[in-house]
Amino acid sequence: MSGATPGLPKPGPSKPGPEPEPRAWQRMLSGRRLNLLDPSPLDVEIADIAHGLARVARWNGQTAGAHIFSVAQHSVLVEQVAARLSPGCGAELRLAVLLHDAPEYVIGDMISPFKAVLGGEYKAVEDRLMRAIHVRFGLPPERGDAVNRILKRADRTAAFLEATRLAGFSLAEARRVFGRPEGAPADADLTPWPADQAAERFLARFAALTA
């Protein structure tokens, strides 16, 4: 016996509903929900940044040592080098340097060649996150020329040290890629820190610079 009701038309195939919007937010351990497409400074917490960066590997993890060399440890190193390159620089500049890779707590650390392949869309997401982070911690939304000049030199020096001591680069190869290091601390600690220690030391520098 047919399941159709006499006198009524047979039901046709159901129409598909609208496709759900793709999820563009990440839940943080603090409980914050950060929207990557429209990040709010109110959803940025320094503890989330420290926790995430301490677990993101530089060099795609291709480094020597029992632990990854984390973006948190790299950030502390770059800030240390910047202070040597510009001894009179203030806490605001050094804070901007410390936070220069902060968006990677959400989007991870992609090596420069892969960023070039992805092009502008990756850069747009990174820039939106950076502006939200800067506003959250009282910095200008955009890095100024003075910060960028110091940051570029310090970042390249840190990359040179990491490349030659941890990532298998020869000195000649590292000089071709990163140039000659400037302001490299003789006592720079490049022994990879455990994640908890990297987060603690990153937070300690943040606290010192925002006191």
Side-chain angles (χ1 to χ4, degrees), residues 13 73 95 119 131 162:
Q73 186 169 355
L95 179 61
R131 284 194 292 271
E162 295 164 19

Side-chain angles (χ1 to χ4, degrees), residues 130-145:
M130 183 61 82
R131 284 194 292 271
I133 290 165
H134 270 217
V135 171
R136 172 67 178 85
F137 300 119
L139 295 170
E142 306 288 342
R143 280 197 299 255
D145 291 342

